[in-house]
Amino acid sequence: MAQRCAKDRMKRIAVWAFYGVGALAICYLALFAYAMFSGRDLQPGDPIHIFRKPDAPSYS
């Protein structure tokens, strides 16, 4: 009887782990789709300005 309960518990944990991995994969795909459709096109050789305004003064 105790072994059956342990087996059911492990099966339930495995099912929830499977659901969790699936949910993470769907979130990753949603973020990837958002980045692809909302981001600007990058061309090779273009500088990447993440935290700098284009019209900011240069202090170097």
Side-chain angles (χ1 to χ4, degrees):
M1 183 73 173
Q3 188 174 3
R4 180 165 167 80
C5 290
K7 198 181 278 190
D8 288 341
R9 188 177 304 132
M10 290 299 290
K11 186 176 180 182
R12 187 175 296 133
I13 290 171
V15 167
W16 278 106
F18 184 76
Y19 287 159
V21 169
L24 286 175
I26 289 170
C27 290
Y28 175 80
L29 289 174
L31 285 173
F32 180 75
Y34 173 75
M36 288 300 295
F37 292 121
S38 68
R40 65 181 184 91
D41 289 339
L42 290 176
Q43 298 296 326
D46 284 347
I48 299 173
H49 300 286
I50 297 174
F51 298 111
R52 183 172 170 80
K53 294 181 182 176
D55 57 346
S58 176
Y59 296 107
S60 59

